């Protein structure tokens, strides 16, 4: 009961601190890290409390923001649930695969050319369950939030999943009515977005391309 109600340290509460939990860290390392940041004052009791709750093997790695004075229950909940620091990543509509690659490369630290090559690679279509070829047209433009250090595959997976969630029966019916496949309709949409300078130009450009098909 004492452990449940104890605050994390004797330091003045309210200050927000950043804490990094390394991948593969033992709970002892986690507790030592929290003690060093003056977020926990009794590491032995804290460890016992975590074991009783079954949390000592459930801590997730990552960067966290923790308010000094946070009690043990919400502190452990945050670490177990992996509520890490996230940053926004925006992919605007109309971006080409090269532009997407440049933005993702800036995020992951990879070379833009290498990222583009991976996005164009045809095996990715089967891997992520899209018609292909490659991933052009299937990386849905939106604003996402990711933890620092997230892998390229993780980002791509989220973006493709966002696309898949929006390819509904209504869109499939629309493609069928135009006698187009999902791949053809997605390719057309990508071309229209790339060529249109204004949103109101898109229907006209789309009509021109569709009449040519």
């Amino acid at each position: 009961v004492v452990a449940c109600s104890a605050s994390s340290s004797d330091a003045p509460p309210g200050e927000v601190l950043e804490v990094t939990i390394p991948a593969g860290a033992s709970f002892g390392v986690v507790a030592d890290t929290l003690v060093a940041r003056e977020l926990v004052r009794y590491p032995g009791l804290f460890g016992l409390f975590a074991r009783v709750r079954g949390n000592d093997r459930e801590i997730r790695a990552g960067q966290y923001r923790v308010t000094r004075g946070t009690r043990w229950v919400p502190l452990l909940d945050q670490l177990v649930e992996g509520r890490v620091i996230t940053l926004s990543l925006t992919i605007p509509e109309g971006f080409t695969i090269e532009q997407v690659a440049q933005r993702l490369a800036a995020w992951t630290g990879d070379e833009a050319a290498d990222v583009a090559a991976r996005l164009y690679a045809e095996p990715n279509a089967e891997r992520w369950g899209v018609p292909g070829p490659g991933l052009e047209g299937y990386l849905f433009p939106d604003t996402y939030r990711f933890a620092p250090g997230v892998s390229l595959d993780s980002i791509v997976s989220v973006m493709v999943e966002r696309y898949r969630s929006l390819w509904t029966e209504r869109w499939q019916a629309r493609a069928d009515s135009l006698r187009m496949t999902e791949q053809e309709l997605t390719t057309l949409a990508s071309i229209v977005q790339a060529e249109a300078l204004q949103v109101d130009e898109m229907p006209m450009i789309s009509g021109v391309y569709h009449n040519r098909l």
Side-chain angles (χ1 to χ4, degrees):
V1 175
V2 173
C4 289
S5 60
S7 61
S8 299
S9 78
D10 286 321
E15 182 181 3
V16 177
L17 301 175
E18 291 192 5
V19 179
T20 299
I21 305 299
S26 66
F27 191 83
V29 171
V30 172
D32 289 343
T33 300
L34 297 175
V35 169
R37 300 294 282 157
E38 297 186 316
L39 292 167
V40 166
R41 50 181 169 169
Y42 304 122
L45 285 176
F46 181 68
L48 177 60
F49 181 59
R51 285 195 294 276
V52 169
R53 295 187 84 211
N55 295 151
D56 56 315
R57 297 180 183 275
E58 298 179 333
I59 304 301
R60 298 189 184 185
Q63 285 184 283
Y64 294 85
R65 286 194 180 98
V66 181
T67 302
R68 182 171 280 160
T70 300
R71 296 180 182 276
W72 288 359
V73 169
L75 175 58
L76 283 169
D77 286 346
Q78 180 178 359
L79 298 177
V80 168
E81 293 170 12
R83 285 185 264 122
V84 298
I85 296 171
T86 59
L87 304 173
S88 63
L89 169 64
T90 299
I91 305 297
E93 288 190 23
F95 258 32
T96 64
I97 205 78
E98 287 82 7
Q99 290 172 309
V100 172
Q102 288 176 358
R103 188 148 296 190
L104 298 188
W107 186 276
T108 63
D110 299 314
E111 293 293 330
D114 293 338
V115 174
R118 290 172 65 181
L119 298 182
Y120 274 124
E122 292 192 15
N124 282 331
E126 182 177 354
R127 177 181 179 184
W128 274 290
V130 293
L135 296 177
E136 187 163 22
Y138 306 104
L139 300 172
F140 192 81
D142 205 344
T143 295
Y144 301 88
R145 296 198 69 86
F146 296 105
V150 68
S151 68
L152 176 62
D153 283 354
S154 295
I155 295 175
V156 168
S157 181
V158 170
M159 294 178 69
V160 172
E161 181 59 31
R162 177 72 172 138
Y163 163 82
R164 297 302 305 162
S165 71
L166 295 172
W167 183 264
T168 61
E169 292 182 1
R170 172 175 169 269
W171 280 107
Q172 184 60 58
R174 178 59 174 162
D176 292 342
S177 70
L178 295 172
R179 296 183 180 179
M180 300 176 71
T181 65
E182 179 182 349
Q183 177 186 344
E184 290 169 339
L185 191 60
T186 301
T187 300
L188 176 61
S190 298
I191 293 172
V192 170
Q193 286 184 342
E195 294 201 8
L197 298 177
Q198 302 292 334
V199 173
D200 57 8
E201 293 179 349
M202 291 185 180
M204 178 186 68
I205 296 173
S206 177
V208 170
Y209 276 98
H210 186 252
N211 288 336
R212 292 177 180 176
L213 296 176

